[in-house]
């Protein structure tokens, strides 16, 4: 009869030495994830359209060669190719990719008046961007035995009026997640995080940073007792990027303080 495995120490720095790429990593949830990666011992390349925000991150973090910023437009394949190549030239490997960049405003217009250009812009940024970054990072991720984390939204599961373009793009990310998990496995694991209400006001670039204005009622809508913060998403992202989640792939994880399971009556 074989022995039960012995107790092993918990790895408090599960991304030590690993390289993680984060799209839209200069502000909001993306910045929260990038900082969590650094806190877990990893190295990070953030990509963002906002150059000022990207430079501000590096100035604030002061982690030297462990972090870098390269401008990125996830909707343009040439930009994605340059970004991935920059990561390989700087760090020599890619262990993780977080597809976070996207249009954050879910409301656009009633469907009958929604412009095709607006519909296409949501899909190009939120969904096609996820495809392009995954496509070009996948060879290096497979070589490293890495992981992809797609940042979708609870709006892939529930909706408000006039959010069809946003919901469709985030719902597409869920389908893309489980499809790629099957195609890329076992070399690369692929999972999705679905954030709920996350207050990002304090995680923007210095000129736009504000203290979140949240009421008691805002917090009370959540069984967890509060609105979410970017570090709540970062904590799960670190787990999904690390070897600690080696038996987890093709899954979606709702991080919303319990809001989507609470019955709402008016």
């Amino acid at each position: 009869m074989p022995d039960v495995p012995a107790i092993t120490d918990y790895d408090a720095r599960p991304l030590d030495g690993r390289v993680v790429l984060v799209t839209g990593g200069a502000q909001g949830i993306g910045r929260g994830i990038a900082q969590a990666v650094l806190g877990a011992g990893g190295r990070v390349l953030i990509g963002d359209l906002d150059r000022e925000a990207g430079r501000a991150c590096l100035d604030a973090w002061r982690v030297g060669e462990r972090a870098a910023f390269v401008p990125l437009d996830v909707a343009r394949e040439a930009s994605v190719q340059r970004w991935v190549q920059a990561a390989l030239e700087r760090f020599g490997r890619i262990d993780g990719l977080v597809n976070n960049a996207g249009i954050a405003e879910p409301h656009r217009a009633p469907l009958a008046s929604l412009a095709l250009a607006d519909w296409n812009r949501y899909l190009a940024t939120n969904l096609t961007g996820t495809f392009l970054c995954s496509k070009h990072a996948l060879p290096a991720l497979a070589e490293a035995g890495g992981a992809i984390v797609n940042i979708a939204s609870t709006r892939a599961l529930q909706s408000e009026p006039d959010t069809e373009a946003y919901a469709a793009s985030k719902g597409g990310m869920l389908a893309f997640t489980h499809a790629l998990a099957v195609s890329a496995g076992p070399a690369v694991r692929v999972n999705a995080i679905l954030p709920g209400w996350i207050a990002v006001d304090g995680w923007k670039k210095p000129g736009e940073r504000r203290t979140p204005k949240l009421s008691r009622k805002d917090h009370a809508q959540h069984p967890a007792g509060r609105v979410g913060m970017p570090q709540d998403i970062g904590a799960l992202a670190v787990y999904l990027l690390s070897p600690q989640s080696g038996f987890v792939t093709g899954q979606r994880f709702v991080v919303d303080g319990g809001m989507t399971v609470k019955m709402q009556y008016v």
Side-chain angles (χ1 to χ4, degrees):
M1 188 177 203
D3 292 334
V4 174
I7 296 173
T8 58
D9 291 336
Y10 181 81
D11 188 355
R13 291 172 64 85
L15 297 180
D16 194 27
R18 293 173 181 262
V19 176
V20 177
L21 280 57
V22 183
T23 73
Q27 302 188 89
I29 289 175
R31 178 167 180 169
I33 293 170
Q35 291 189 191
V37 168
L38 291 169
R43 294 175 287 173
V44 68
L45 174 68
I46 54 174
D48 207 289
L49 283 171
D50 194 321
R51 295 169 183 259
E52 180 186 354
R55 290 191 293 267
C57 284
L58 300 184
D59 290 341
W61 293 339
R62 299 183 181 277
V63 293
E65 297 299 313
R66 290 179 58 212
F69 165 70
V70 173
L72 171 66
D73 182 349
V74 297
R76 295 179 57 244
E77 187 162 19
S79 179
V80 172
Q81 288 177 297
R82 287 194 296 271
W83 186 64
V84 171
Q85 186 58 36
L88 292 172
E89 290 175 358
R90 184 179 184 93
F91 297 115
R93 59 185 292 143
I94 299 174
D95 299 280
L97 167 67
V98 180
N99 287 307
N100 166 75
I103 300 171
E105 174 52 56
H107 297 89
R108 180 54 51 185
L111 191 65
S113 58
L114 181 65
L116 178 59
D118 285 333
W119 170 269
N120 286 337
R121 190 163 63 91
Y122 274 90
L123 293 184
T125 304
N126 295 2
L127 185 54
T128 302
T130 297
F131 152 68
L132 288 174
C133 292
S134 300
K135 170 186 175 180
H136 289 288
L138 197 59
L141 285 166
E143 184 176 347
I148 296 173
V149 176
N150 297 322
I151 306 301
S153 169
T154 52
R155 291 176 183 271
L157 307 177
Q158 57 179 178
S159 293
E160 292 179 295
D162 306 329
T163 60
E164 285 79 8
Y166 185 89
S169 68
K170 293 299 187 177
M173 288 179 72
L174 298 189
F176 180 83
T177 295
H178 63 68
L180 185 58
V182 173
S183 301
V188 178
R189 296 179 299 102
V190 189
N191 292 287
I193 299 176
L194 287 66
W197 185 346
I198 306 296
V200 299
D201 310 64
W203 291 74
K204 295 183 178 180
K205 61 185 179 182
E208 298 180 4
R209 197 171 299 155
R210 301 288 184 273
T211 300
K213 294 181 179 180
L214 299 168
S215 68
R216 187 177 302 174
K217 183 178 179 181
D218 293 334
H219 292 298
Q221 293 182 63
H222 302 75
R226 64 174 175 83
V227 173
M229 299 294 289
Q231 54 263 52
D232 294 316
I233 308 303
L236 179 56
V238 165
Y239 169 71
L240 294 174
L241 290 165
S242 77
Q244 295 172 348
S245 61
F247 197 53
V248 181
T249 193
Q251 303 305 307
R252 63 191 194 195
F253 297 87
V254 174
V255 184
D256 70 344
M259 197 174 186
T260 55
V261 300
K262 182 179 179 180
M263 300 283 291
Q264 304 283 347
Y265 290 103
V266 177

